[in-house]
Amino acid sequence: MAGRHRVVIIGGGFGGLSAALKLKRVPADVTLIDRCNYHLFQPLLYQVATGALSPANIASPLREILKDHRNTKVLLAEATGIDVANRRVVLSDGSVEYDTLIISTGASHQYFGHAEWEKFAPGLKTIEDATAMRRRILLAFETAEREQDPEKRRAFLTFVIVGAGPTGVELAGALGEIANDTLRRDFRSIDPASARIILVEGTDRVLPSYPPKLSAAARRMLERLGVTVRTGVFVTGVSEHAVTLREGDRTEQIPARTILWAAGVLTSPLGKSLSEATGAPLDKSGHIIVQPDLSVPGHPEIFVIGDLANYSHQTGRPLPGVAQPAIQEGRYVAGVIRRRLLQHVPPPPFHYFDKGNLATVGRAAAVADLNWLRISGIPAWLIWIFVHLFYIMEFRNRLLILLQWGWLFITYDRSARLITGKTPFPLDL
Amino acid sequence: MAGRHRVVIIGGGFGGLSAALKLKRVPADVTLIDRCNYHLFQPLLYQVATGALSPANIASPLREILKDHRNTKVLLAEATGIDVANRRVVLSDGSVEYDTLIISTGASHQYFGHAEWEKFAPGLKTIEDATAMRRRILLAFETAEREQDPEKRRAFLTFVIVGAGPTGVELAGALGEIANDTLRRDFRSIDPASARIILVEGTDRVLPSYPPKLSAAARRMLERLGVTVRTGVFVTGVSEHAVTLREGDRTEQIPARTILWAAGVLTSPLGKSLSEATGAPLDKSGHIIVQPDLSVPGHPEIFVIGDLANYSHQTGRPLPGVAQPAIQEGRYVAGVIRRRLLQHVPPPPFHYFDKGNLATVGRAAAVADLNWLRISGIPAWLIWIFVHLFYIMEFRNRLLILLQWGWLFITYDRSARLITGKTPFPLDL
């Protein structure tokens, strides 16, 4: 159908996919562009990194999700820029024209200006990150088992997690379980429970975006799992063999072969180029400061949603970089587009409905801040399970995940603790 | 316990693992060496390559399987040679001394002397092979969707499978299902069902090791799935863009961007070095011709089992390169070692009990040769399911696989059709 309104969405994460789903019956041709052929349920990515789930359990093919959306086309492609004047998305192989554009390309890690740390301290944003982190964690134990020198062995058994937001806390908790329970009878020369797990956070508490009471509860749960929590501590150096920490005036070097990065996000490079092309303001982290209707100033045909957007109109602070704001923004923008096409009155500004925050700290332990209710422990953990199963795509994945969580709960066995990819011999990390 | 008899096993496949399991109560220190940290259930590897199962569903950590074997140590290491005189296995990082050695290093693909074909026609032996093959198959459809030139598009939608043994037949059947059913509503520019799937076999029938009646049944099932079966045809050339076939005097080039290799096995390089060190005879494919008790001539302390061994004492022909002979050989060798250590009489020569052969050809279609019973169709398929679930390690994996097979049967949805690893942009294979 030539002449139909063309909506192009860049990014198949929570924001972009929610918009695409909501555009099903809108009289427009929708194109969803992503570099991956799947939608990734990022909140459970740490469970892939720690061997509890398989990648396919938390990733659903975009084509499968959208197969009954006859007005929607999925494009496996890499967007390299936006030609605002000609309303074209530039791809590494061609281009796509749009009438309305939704940019939802998310964020990647930042290393406080030290890009060279990335090699030694991998982050967790993609499936490939998760399997690489899994390989690193498992190889650390394997290499320690082979190592004779007690000092080197100790460095192999030292895990430093940088950043105590939800991802850092969840990783630290899972590592505690792996060391204490999962691997308990697996080795003959080392005792996995002797592993040191150090969670480093620059602010004065873990989960700094949660109420202080829940932060304190999370800290206690982590310590019960054998995690050493160090708050008010900054990372000033990362190398292959050690991490350097600064606490007040004191500097300290900890020999550690596994350093995992769960701190700071940087936005996608597309944000910068969009800002240059449209004059849209950027905040200091590189997020695009959007209008009350999530469009770019002076360009009502371009919307920015999810982690790339800075929407502070509601609370004076940007919305958190989690799934809920992105989902609600995607749905809102789809509604704006529908009203425009049907020539209805424009909707009121975007309003974020904060359903609360949840984080797990291992087995039967979590914190839940539902605004009207703040709890920790088993009830919070049950809410966490329910909410995550509810939001995961595809009924089959819900069953598979539930089955594996049940198994993990009973046996401590993490089914997916595979070292895949190229294992280096002689053995090393 | 110094002075205990030391058994070293190289390879944690069906042969090596069966031996290790059977040595649990034998008064010996057992070391199992493998380059992977898991045992792989290879008969279902094609289901990972075709997105029906996840790697972790068919791979179980060796340490998990053997954690209660207190006399057994698992070593993640690469064996590079055997120092027969000093009874040491040489590793890429160190060495391990043995009193008794079991070599069970399996086989890898051979390309009829054309090692350069491997780049264009990947085989299927490891998890990494399977995820690479999955990526290749899915990218072929993605690239076709983007391709405008009808001729190039046709090449992207042409899949050639070389070799119609069980793996080739199973791959071809699964590809038929993917093209006709799984991807049916996924694309907008191409019709996946227009994909050509060509199964090429040098002998005069598919599944040449099966009775002719079952070969004919398998061929009919494949053709019903849209697979073009070409028997009596040899591959004489493989390049990035085409495969060259010879049928009698006729040579023909088929433009095809996805060529999958399921023909010919080559043994591990360790076999050759062992033969040089011990004078053990090799057959023309590089298998070690073993004694009736599976030891190497002149070296009763070295056993060779599984795909690396040529045991023809029973039928005059080598045993097939499948799981059953390897499992039975591993158990037999463990028994020989136990009798020796307990100074019992040596056992009679190894005897292979042939339980039969099974191969699936897609949905509700299989052939079963149980020697006393030869059937095809749904009954054979049910036997296939039962046997594979029975032999897979770990109860959890049985449940996970059954659930995914049930889902696949009802919906045709292959949950794990993820393109992982680095996707090349501009898009290409």
Side-chain angles (χ1 to χ4, degrees):
Chain A
M1 263 183 274
R4 277 243 286 195
H5 190 86
R6 294 160 302 180
V7 179
V8 173
I9 304 168
I10 314 178
F14 285 109
L17 181 58
S18 299
L21 286 169
K22 202 78 181 173
L23 287 168
K24 185 172 185 181
R25 298 194 194 293
V26 171
D29 288 327
V30 179
T31 302
L32 177 62
I33 302 172
D34 201 293
R35 279 182 301 189
C36 296
N37 77 328
Y38 49 81
H39 166 72
L40 179 63
F41 192 78
Q42 277 194 351
L44 292 179
L45 198 53
Y46 82 96
Q47 296 219 350
V48 173
T50 53
L53 296 176
S54 280
N57 302 145
I58 61 160
S60 302
L62 286 167
R63 295 192 186 281
E64 176 72 26
I65 301 171
L66 294 164
K67 67 182 175 187
D68 293 326
H69 290 234
R70 303 309 300 182
N71 68 334
T72 306
K73 210 164 91 176
V74 175
L75 214 60
L76 182 71
E78 181 183 46
T80 56
I82 292 146
D83 179 352
V84 174
N86 296 305
R87 299 198 171 176
R88 286 186 324 138
V89 175
V90 184
L91 309 174
S92 51
D93 44 5
S95 66
V96 183
E97 295 186 352
Y98 64 82
D99 298 308
T100 300
L101 177 64
I102 303 172
I103 305 176
S104 177
T105 50
S108 61
H109 291 281
Q110 74 155 321
Y111 286 82
F112 309 135
H114 291 275
E116 73 277 12
W117 293 357
E118 186 168 8
K119 199 164 51 164
F120 310 120
L124 191 58
K125 278 284 171 193
T126 66
I127 290 276
E128 288 75 20
D129 288 346
T131 49
M133 197 178 268
R134 182 176 77 184
R135 175 169 60 239
R136 231 188 143 75
I137 293 168
L138 295 170
L139 272 178
F141 286 101
E142 293 288 345
T143 317
E145 171 88 349
R146 299 284 305 279
E147 181 61 59
Q148 303 293 326
D149 179 334
E151 209 167 302
K152 284 188 187 166
R153 182 181 273 188
R154 191 152 175 77
F156 279 120
L157 288 177
T158 302
F159 299 84
V160 177
I161 299 131
V162 183
T167 301
V169 164
E170 287 168 336
L171 269 178
L175 268 172
E177 264 191 48
I178 289 174
N180 291 312
D181 300 306
T182 306
L183 302 180
R184 198 154 57 95
R185 286 174 293 166
D186 275 17
F187 292 91
R188 301 294 178 255
S189 307
I190 58 164
D191 174 12
S194 70
R196 283 199 302 169
I197 300 152
I198 304 168
L199 179 62
V200 176
E201 166 63 35
T203 72
D204 64 343
R205 56 195 173 94
V206 304
L207 299 175
S209 65
Y210 284 62
K213 219 185 76 182
L214 292 185
S215 294
R219 185 181 183 131
R220 279 194 304 276
M221 294 172 195
L222 285 166
E223 286 169 346
R224 224 179 296 143
L225 284 165
V227 175
T228 306
V229 179
R230 300 200 46 187
T231 49
V233 171
F234 295 90
V235 173
T236 58
V238 174
S239 75
E240 199 183 342
H241 293 269
V243 60
T244 310
L245 305 179
R246 182 169 60 73
E247 186 172 7
D249 307 329
R250 238 161 21 86
T251 292
E252 164 189 15
Q253 200 180 47
I254 299 179
R257 294 298 301 270
T258 307
I259 302 158
L260 308 177
W261 198 261
V265 287
L266 186 75
T267 53
S268 110
L270 223 51
K272 200 164 162 244
S273 77
L274 181 72
S275 164
E276 280 159 10
T278 61
L282 290 178
D283 69 13
K284 64 179 179 0
S285 329
H287 302 92
I288 296 211
I289 300 174
V290 292
Q291 301 281 92
D293 69 349
L294 303 172
S295 68
V296 172
H299 286 275
E301 81 282 11
I302 303 179
F303 295 94
V304 178
I305 60 176
D307 285 359
L308 183 57
N310 173 334
Y311 182 81
S312 333
H313 300 273
Q314 191 171 331
T315 60
R317 292 186 309 160
L319 298 174
V322 294
Q324 274 302 323
I327 292 172
Q328 294 180 27
E329 287 167 3
R331 290 179 184 160
Y332 172 84
V333 165
V336 174
I337 294 169
R338 192 179 57 84
R339 284 177 188 233
R340 280 187 194 163
L341 290 174
L342 303 178
Q343 303 186 317
H344 292 175
V345 288
F350 173 67
H351 181 87
Y352 173 54
F353 175 61
D354 183 1
K355 296 183 182 170
N357 287 300
L358 290 162
T360 36
V361 201
R363 206 180 169 67
V367 293
D369 171 16
L370 309 181
N371 299 319
W372 55 276
L373 179 69
R374 288 168 178 178
I375 48 173
S376 58
I378 294 176
W381 184 67
L382 293 173
I383 295 173
W384 183 90
I385 288 181
F386 176 80
V387 166
H388 282 77
L389 286 177
F390 181 81
Y391 275 101
I392 193 95
M393 283 278 161
E394 300 185 275
F395 180 69
R396 182 204 52 241
N397 281 342
R398 262 170 232 158
L399 283 181
L400 289 173
I401 290 175
L402 193 59
L403 205 149
Q404 287 172 95
W405 284 351
W407 188 266
L408 172 63
F409 187 79
I410 298 166
T411 65
Y412 291 96
D413 177 19
R414 291 171 177 262
S415 56
R417 52 181 202 275
L418 310 181
I419 298 173
T420 52
K422 196 129 186 67
T423 303
F425 292 107
L427 206 57
D428 203 349
L429 295 187
Chain B
M1 260 183 277
R4 277 244 283 196
H5 190 86
R6 294 161 304 180
V7 179
V8 173
I9 304 169
I10 312 178
F14 286 110
L17 181 59
S18 301
L21 286 170
K22 202 76 181 173
L23 287 167
K24 185 173 185 179
R25 301 196 192 289
V26 170
D29 288 325
V30 179
T31 302
L32 176 62
I33 301 172
D34 201 295
R35 279 183 300 188
C36 295
N37 77 327
Y38 49 82
H39 166 72
L40 179 63
F41 193 79
Q42 277 194 352
L44 291 179
L45 197 53
Y46 81 97
Q47 296 218 352
V48 173
T50 53
L53 296 176
S54 280
N57 303 145
I58 62 161
S60 302
L62 287 167
R63 295 192 187 281
E64 176 72 27
I65 302 171
L66 295 164
K67 67 181 175 186
D68 293 325
H69 291 233
R70 301 310 299 182
N71 67 334
T72 305
K73 208 164 90 177
V74 174
L75 216 58
L76 182 71
E78 181 185 46
T80 54
I82 292 146
D83 177 353
V84 174
N86 296 305
R87 299 197 173 179
R88 287 187 322 139
V89 175
V90 183
L91 309 175
S92 52
D93 45 4
S95 66
V96 183
E97 295 187 350
Y98 64 82
D99 297 309
T100 301
L101 177 65
I102 303 173
I103 305 176
S104 177
T105 50
S108 61
H109 291 281
Q110 74 155 322
Y111 285 81
F112 308 135
H114 291 275
E116 73 279 11
W117 292 356
E118 186 169 6
K119 201 165 47 164
F120 310 119
L124 192 58
K125 278 283 170 193
T126 66
I127 290 275
E128 287 76 19
D129 289 346
T131 50
M133 197 178 269
R134 182 177 77 182
R135 176 168 59 237
R136 233 190 140 76
I137 293 168
L138 294 170
L139 273 179
F141 286 101
E142 293 289 345
T143 317
E145 171 87 350
R146 298 283 306 278
E147 182 62 58
Q148 302 295 325
D149 179 335
E151 210 166 301
K152 283 187 186 167
R153 181 181 273 188
R154 192 153 174 75
F156 279 120
L157 289 177
T158 301
F159 299 83
V160 177
I161 298 130
V162 183
T167 300
V169 164
E170 288 168 336
L171 269 178
L175 268 172
E177 263 192 48
I178 288 174
N180 292 311
D181 300 306
T182 305
L183 302 181
R184 199 154 56 96
R185 287 174 293 166
D186 275 18
F187 292 91
R188 301 292 177 258
S189 307
I190 58 165
D191 175 13
S194 71
R196 284 198 300 169
I197 299 153
I198 304 168
L199 179 62
V200 176
E201 166 64 36
T203 72
D204 64 343
R205 56 194 174 95
V206 304
L207 298 176
S209 65
Y210 284 62
K213 220 185 74 181
L214 292 185
S215 295
R219 185 181 182 130
R220 278 194 305 276
M221 293 171 197
L222 285 166
E223 286 169 345
R224 224 179 297 144
L225 284 165
V227 175
T228 307
V229 179
R230 301 201 45 187
T231 49
V233 171
F234 296 89
V235 172
T236 58
V238 174
S239 75
E240 199 183 343
H241 292 270
V243 60
T244 310
L245 304 179
R246 182 169 59 73
E247 186 171 9
D249 307 329
R250 239 162 17 90
T251 291
E252 163 188 16
Q253 202 181 45
I254 299 180
R257 295 298 302 268
T258 307
I259 303 157
L260 306 176
W261 198 262
V265 287
L266 185 75
T267 53
S268 111
L270 222 52
K272 199 165 164 244
S273 79
L274 181 72
S275 163
E276 279 159 12
T278 61
L282 289 178
D283 70 13
K284 65 179 174 8
S285 329
H287 302 93
I288 295 208
I289 300 173
V290 291
Q291 301 281 91
D293 69 351
L294 303 172
S295 67
V296 171
H299 287 275
E301 82 282 12
I302 303 178
F303 296 94
V304 178
I305 61 176
D307 285 358
L308 182 59
N310 174 334
Y311 182 82
S312 333
H313 300 272
Q314 192 171 330
T315 60
R317 292 186 309 160
L319 298 175
V322 294
Q324 274 302 322
I327 292 171
Q328 294 180 26
E329 287 167 4
R331 290 179 183 161
Y332 172 84
V333 165
V336 173
I337 294 169
R338 192 179 57 84
R339 286 179 186 232
R340 280 187 193 164
L341 289 175
L342 303 177
Q343 302 188 320
H344 292 175
V345 288
F350 174 68
H351 181 86
Y352 174 54
F353 174 61
D354 184 1
K355 296 183 182 171
N357 287 301
L358 289 162
T360 37
V361 201
R363 204 181 171 67
V367 294
D369 172 17
L370 309 180
N371 299 319
W372 55 276
L373 179 69
R374 288 168 180 179
I375 49 172
S376 57
I378 294 175
W381 184 67
L382 293 173
I383 295 173
W384 183 91
I385 287 182
F386 176 81
V387 166
H388 282 77
L389 286 177
F390 181 82
Y391 275 101
I392 193 94
M393 283 279 162
E394 301 185 275
F395 179 68
R396 183 204 52 241
N397 280 341
R398 263 170 233 159
L399 282 182
L400 288 174
I401 291 175
L402 192 60
L403 204 150
Q404 287 172 95
W405 283 352
W407 189 266
L408 173 62
F409 187 79
I410 297 166
T411 65
Y412 291 97
D413 177 19
R414 291 171 177 262
S415 55
R417 52 181 202 276
L418 309 182
I419 299 174
T420 53
K422 197 132 185 62
T423 304
F425 293 105
L427 207 57
D428 202 351
L429 296 186

